[in-house]
Amino acid sequence: MATVTGYVEKIKYRNEENGYSVLTVSDGGEEYVLVGTFTYISEGERIEATGRMVEHSIYGEQLAVESYEIKAPEDTLAIERYLGSGAIKGIGAALAKRIVKKFKADTFRIMEEEPERLSEVKGISEKMAMDISAQVEEKREMRQAMLFLQQYGISMNLALKIYRQYGQRLYSVIQNNPYQLADDIQGVGFKIADEIASRVGVFTDSDYRIKSGLFYALLQATGNGHTYLPQEELLSNAAELLSVEPERMEKHLMDLQMEKKLVVREKDDCRIVYPSQFYYMELNTARMLHDLNVQSEIPAEQVRKRLEALTEGDTFSLDELQEQAVYEAVSHGLLIITGGPGTGKTTTINTIIRYFEQEEMEILLAAPTGRAAKRMSEATGREAKTVHRLLELTGMPVQNGQNENAGESRLEGMHFERNEENPLDADVIIIDEMSMVDISLMYALLKAVTIGTRLILVGDVNQLPSVGPGNVLRDMIESGKFPVVKLTKIFRQAAQSDIIVNAHRIHAGEQVPLNKRSRDFLFIRREHPSDIVKDMMVLVRDKLPGYVHAPVEEIQIMTPMRKGALGAEQLNRLLQEAFNPPGPDKKEKEAGGIVYRTGDKVMQIKNNYQMEWEIRNRYGIPVKKGEGVFNGDIGIVRDVNVFAETLEMEFDEGRRAEYSFKQLEELELAYAITIHKSQGSEYPAVVIPVYPGPRMLMTRNLIYTAVTRARACVCLVGIPEVFQAMVDNAAEQKRYSGLKDRILEILV
């Protein structure tokens, strides 16, 4: 064991989550590198650290610290050095020198016990003197708080948030009701609070614990797409979580209602429980939909004549349902257009756009994701934005602590610039891929649409529902209260595609002929996972690029599952090893159990509206700049800079974005992706493993969604019986959503 006592010259690196730091410390003219976890430390402080001397392959000799103690500076020079290091705001090197010259070794005592005397030093007012004293006291209190919180396993970053929230009150909060943390602080969910509570010694049947656990169980459900839960199911879920009998929880539901956290309603002879925010979102969404649903008295014959004049000379003709869609769009404030692939949704949208352009109306186009918006732009020849961009989202997202395992993020400090006070300036708004829109986004959109603006919603109701809570498109259609045009005719050109024909067979639950020779729909029978993987690799790397005239990285493997032998995580490990193995010329960085390597195919997994990107010319000079990388965007890792701790990504159209290593949680490998992640995207060819998995995942609408993502070719590899079992499995995961009920309540 070795001991080093000296002054912190520089903090070279610090992880704010866990306090792991790399420090340089001077001791008697010698300089040492210290590595380890330090609760709270500043440059200039004197430290006594004990640990083992280790040899790092790159950085040389270091002291791996096992224990340490902050020491008071031992001489006036050390005090001066500490004060002048920037540790105390407002004191620079010159002022530190004057303070120490005046008070010498007594400096810290004066600061703590007689701070008013600091004003005797030139350049320090009485107010500044008190401020300096407060900072010294706060640093001492903060260090004590950090040490106190650390014993309960709380990370540095979180401890700092707790200290800033409560100050000296944190001791009573932690010891009396740690569940308060879940209500007050981002990053603290029920599970963290419960862990702290068990270490503090809070009883498992504590009222605080039961209330917090109930609310957490309800918010967990929103992460699974529900806007409410039946009371019985909620109590059952909470009982499992808390190990408390359901009967003991009922009285706490009333308390949570009184606190306005919950809304309890009657439905079909049972009680249902909403988090308040989702109940009022559904209620207000229903009201706004009702307000938008106005009807214009425009004669059908007039619309028909204008439409005939507009489409004269077109190489195609609209069918009866497409014409009806145009008429309904003209005569109603709200319209839903739905239909499967090949039924002419794009042609219908384009005709509606042309009709309104002829009337010199202002039209806005949008879709829920960046990739879907891009597809819409390509299909219409007009600019389409993401819905978030349309609504002008500003601010920074932070993780929702209450919903820590639900994959949700709360938009703390974020808001839409477009709302009821600053609505969208448009006569017509068209939203594509509506099946992906959840209740929160629908509510935000409707707030920005004024009565009199036409809102046209387009989507395939048979696709997977939104990742977020609610089932907006299906609920609106099933309410029967709004104009809906369902396109059913498969057009001749589309009918020549087995992808489209088979997609409709899948939707109808019919037998799909897997032995048929086809130009765009192929099934390869393989029984064993290793054989399935092998064949998928051959298809992606060797067979399909030339066949569909697309580079390897544009061909996408999609799987129903995240876990398992053929889940996305395992496939990505195998495919990375095969397609992009390590090499001396490839830099890499491991983060969160994933290795990111130069040349890797990677996907953005959350919307980042602030991420800056640029497009460079062949000389490396930026020619275009912008902001925004979106959930589902796929790119290639071009560089990993270990020194600067950055990773450079290249997305489509040559957009390059730089990620700090801390932002790597926004990325994951994308050699294989889950079918859920493919929503709103389209690929030249898709390859799908077909192998037994959980019945709740192996569903008809899942395989339907997967097949409809392909433009030119679908290749399925696996067991035909499993494929047919998916087609036969019409059971969708039950999703509790009340928008339909709220619509029917209002529109009686």
Side-chain angles (χ1 to χ4, degrees):
M1 298 293 273
T3 299
V4 170
T5 305
Y7 298 94
V8 179
E9 296 284 351
K10 190 167 179 60
I11 300 174
K12 299 175 84 169
Y13 171 79
R14 183 166 176 83
N15 183 325
E16 293 299 342
E17 282 298 320
N18 56 24
Y20 179 82
S21 308
V22 181
L23 321 171
T24 56
V25 171
S26 63
D27 180 3
E30 292 285 322
E31 194 171 89
Y32 297 90
V33 176
L34 275 57
V35 296
T37 301
F38 300 87
T39 51
Y40 190 80
I41 199 160
S42 304
E43 290 178 0
E45 289 191 299
R46 186 165 173 260
I47 186 174
E48 183 178 284
T50 302
R52 292 173 297 105
M53 282 295 183
V54 296
E55 190 71 28
H56 192 280
S57 57
I58 298 172
Y59 302 111
E61 193 178 54
Q62 300 176 336
L63 181 72
V65 176
E66 292 176 11
S67 65
Y68 73 96
E69 193 181 341
I70 303 294
K71 299 280 197 180
E74 61 182 4
D75 57 33
T76 54
L77 188 64
I79 297 170
E80 186 185 315
R81 173 191 248 166
Y82 172 70
L83 291 177
S85 69
I88 307 292
K89 221 180 283 177
I91 299 182
L95 188 54
K97 196 176 184 76
R98 291 203 297 275
I99 294 170
V100 176
K101 188 177 177 183
K102 173 77 177 172
F103 300 113
K104 301 186 172 55
D106 214 20
T107 297
F108 279 120
R109 190 195 65 77
I110 295 286
M111 283 180 166
E112 288 174 10
E113 297 175 14
E114 302 176 73
E116 65 282 355
R117 287 193 59 196
L118 289 171
S119 62
E120 296 170 19
V121 178
K122 187 184 173 188
I124 300 181
S125 64
E126 280 188 30
K127 185 177 177 303
M128 187 179 175
M130 301 314 289
D131 184 50
I132 291 167
S133 173
Q135 284 189 65
V136 171
E137 179 65 14
E138 190 186 15
K139 279 189 172 293
R140 191 171 59 79
E141 288 175 355
M142 188 182 284
R143 187 173 289 120
Q144 286 171 347
M146 295 292 163
L147 289 166
F148 172 77
L149 293 168
Q150 197 184 25
Q151 67 185 320
Y152 299 116
I154 296 170
S155 73
M156 287 296 93
N157 203 25
L158 197 50
L160 207 54
K161 285 184 184 176
I162 293 170
Y163 180 79
R164 285 172 182 158
Q165 176 76 25
Y166 301 117
Q168 291 301 292
R169 281 179 53 229
L170 71 87
Y171 301 99
S172 64
V173 170
I174 294 289
Q175 287 165 340
N176 297 326
N177 177 20
Y179 298 98
Q180 192 177 333
L181 301 175
D183 290 338
D184 297 342
I185 299 174
Q186 290 297 312
V188 182
F190 170 78
K191 287 196 170 177
I192 292 174
D194 202 37
E195 209 173 292
I196 295 167
S198 69
R199 289 177 180 152
V200 173
V202 175
F203 292 118
T204 56
D205 61 352
S206 144
D207 287 354
Y208 293 131
R209 182 171 186 264
I210 293 173
K211 276 169 54 179
S212 188
L214 265 170
F215 195 56
Y216 173 77
L218 191 56
L219 287 179
Q220 281 289 95
T222 67
N224 295 323
H226 309 300
T227 58
Y228 70 83
L229 278 184
Q231 182 173 309
E232 197 175 316
E233 193 171 326
L234 170 61
L235 293 179
S236 169
N237 293 353
E240 194 176 329
L241 173 75
L242 298 166
S243 303
V244 174
E245 293 301 311
E247 312 73 76
R248 300 198 55 185
M249 299 183 209
E250 289 196 37
K251 72 181 182 83
H252 298 292
L253 282 177
M254 182 60 75
D255 293 340
L256 287 163
Q257 284 184 78
M258 298 291 284
E259 292 169 19
K260 296 191 164 47
K261 286 186 172 181
L262 303 182
V263 172
V264 180
R265 296 290 305 265
E266 296 289 331
K267 178 182 166 73
D268 301 333
D269 301 322
C270 84
R271 299 179 92 203
I272 63 172
V273 186
Y274 278 92
S276 294
Q277 68 192 90
F278 288 109
Y279 175 76
Y280 290 109
M281 269 186 202
E282 285 188 348
L283 188 63
N284 290 317
T285 296
R287 283 177 179 151
M288 289 186 286
L289 287 169
H290 168 71
D291 291 343
L292 285 175
N293 189 28
V294 295
Q295 189 166 352
S296 310
E297 298 300 323
I298 300 173
E301 187 58 27
Q302 184 182 320
V303 177
R304 191 181 62 77
K305 281 181 179 172
R306 286 186 183 174
L307 190 56
E308 277 179 6
L310 182 71
T311 56
E312 194 180 349
D314 287 348
T315 53
F316 60 87
S317 57
L318 301 180
D319 75 352
E320 195 177 321
L321 285 169
Q322 288 176 309
E323 285 184 1
Q324 186 195 337
V326 178
Y327 174 70
E328 298 287 357
V330 173
S331 58
H332 287 91
L334 181 65
L335 170 66
I336 299 165
I337 301 172
T338 184
T343 56
K345 290 195 299 292
T346 300
T347 303
T348 308
I349 292 170
N350 279 330
T351 307
I352 289 169
I353 291 170
R354 287 164 61 199
Y355 188 102
F356 286 129
E357 282 180 341
Q358 198 180 44
E359 302 287 303
E360 296 186 347
M361 289 185 174
E362 184 69 29
I363 304 164
L364 294 175
L365 309 180
T369 67
R371 289 184 78 93
K374 188 182 173 197
R375 281 179 62 201
M376 194 181 190
S377 292
E378 289 166 353
T380 61
R382 296 158 180 86
E383 185 190 16
K385 299 177 178 178
T386 65
V387 178
H388 291 81
R389 182 72 76 194
L390 184 76
L391 298 176
E392 297 174 20
L393 183 71
T394 59
M396 291 296 290
V398 296
Q399 199 60 32
N400 185 346
Q402 276 287 7
N403 210 17
E404 59 206 332
N405 292 335
E408 288 285 302
S409 65
R410 186 156 75 191
L411 305 181
E412 182 73 8
M414 296 190 83
H415 64 279
F416 294 110
E417 293 286 343
R418 296 289 185 171
N419 49 40
E420 58 271 56
E421 275 146 37
N422 181 27
L424 291 162
D425 185 16
D427 301 302
V428 182
I429 299 169
I430 304 175
I431 309 294
D432 199 9
E433 295 285 358
M434 260 305 294
S435 62
M436 300 175 70
V437 174
D438 62 21
I439 188 66
S440 307
L441 190 56
M442 189 65 181
Y443 173 64
L445 172 68
L446 292 175
K447 284 203 295 181
V449 181
T450 52
I451 297 168
T453 300
R454 289 175 171 83
L455 181 63
I456 300 166
L457 309 174
V458 185
D460 184 350
V461 76
N462 300 309
Q463 297 273 9
L464 293 168
S466 59
V467 175
N471 209 345
V472 173
L473 183 63
R474 188 177 292 276
D475 277 359
M476 286 179 67
I477 293 171
E478 288 183 356
S479 74
K481 297 297 181 180
F482 308 112
V484 178
V485 177
K486 187 174 181 182
L487 304 176
T488 54
K489 181 184 172 183
I490 303 175
F491 284 84
R492 191 172 61 198
Q493 191 177 350
Q496 294 168 3
S497 162
D498 284 329
I499 295 174
I500 290 180
V501 171
N502 288 336
H504 285 272
R505 283 178 177 143
I506 291 167
H507 169 56
E510 298 171 3
Q511 188 86 23
V512 177
L514 300 179
N515 296 325
K516 178 189 169 188
R517 289 181 65 85
S518 170
R519 287 180 295 111
D520 59 8
F521 196 95
L522 173 72
F523 198 105
I524 301 170
R525 185 178 190 116
R526 294 290 183 267
E527 304 286 335
H528 198 272
S530 60
D531 295 331
I532 294 172
V533 173
K534 205 180 297 174
D535 273 37
M536 289 198 302
M537 284 182 184
V538 171
L539 284 165
V540 173
R541 187 168 48 198
D542 305 327
K543 304 288 187 186
L544 285 170
Y547 188 67
V548 297
H549 310 293
V552 171
E553 56 265 23
E554 287 186 19
I555 294 160
Q556 190 59 58
I557 293 175
M558 297 190 313
T559 176
M561 298 158 285
R562 283 197 69 83
K563 307 288 183 183
L566 292 167
E569 291 178 6
Q570 174 67 0
L571 283 175
N572 273 314
R573 281 193 283 271
L574 295 170
L575 294 163
Q576 182 187 43
E577 196 61 33
F579 290 179
N580 191 33
D585 58 332
K586 295 177 187 175
K587 294 180 273 186
E588 59 184 51
K589 166 67 182 173
E590 190 272 335
I594 300 172
V595 174
Y596 299 93
R597 187 176 294 139
T598 308
D600 273 337
K601 181 179 179 181
V602 174
M603 175 186 272
Q604 177 80 13
I605 58 171
K606 55 176 76 168
N607 289 331
N608 185 332
Y609 297 91
Q610 283 75 38
M611 177 65 78
E612 294 177 353
W613 53 261
E614 59 185 31
I615 297 171
R616 302 170 193 157
N617 64 17
R618 60 179 182 168
Y619 304 109
I621 299 166
V623 292
K624 189 177 178 183
K625 293 188 177 186
E627 288 182 350
V629 181
F630 304 104
N631 186 2
D633 280 358
I634 289 177
I636 304 294
V637 177
R638 292 301 183 204
D639 187 36
V640 178
N641 190 327
V642 178
F643 182 76
E645 298 193 342
T646 59
L647 178 147
E648 186 176 75
M649 287 287 301
E650 183 178 350
F651 295 100
D652 54 7
E653 298 169 347
R655 292 177 300 138
R656 291 195 177 229
E658 193 172 84
Y659 291 72
S660 72
F661 283 175
K662 284 184 180 177
Q663 291 173 299
L664 295 184
E665 64 183 21
E666 295 186 15
L667 300 172
E668 62 183 34
L669 293 176
Y671 296 101
I673 63 172
T674 62
I675 294 166
H676 280 89
K677 280 289 181 192
S678 73
Q679 282 180 274
S681 300
E682 194 176 72
Y683 309 95
V686 300
V687 180
I688 307 162
V690 183
Y691 193 74
R695 182 172 164 78
M696 59 185 274
L697 284 176
M698 310 301 280
T699 61
R700 181 185 296 172
N701 66 344
L702 195 81
I703 195 68
Y704 173 84
T705 299
V707 166
T708 55
R709 299 304 88 202
R711 254 193 326 266
C713 190
V714 170
C715 294
L716 298 121
V717 187
I719 303 169
E721 293 77 13
V722 173
F723 174 82
Q724 195 55 49
M726 290 181 79
V727 174
D728 294 340
N729 183 10
E732 293 178 33
Q733 234 177 320
K734 177 68 179 166
R735 178 168 283 210
Y736 297 114
S737 165
L739 179 60
K740 176 184 168 182
D741 296 331
R742 304 289 84 75
I743 291 168
L744 293 173
E745 283 172 1
I746 290 171
L747 305 179
V748 285

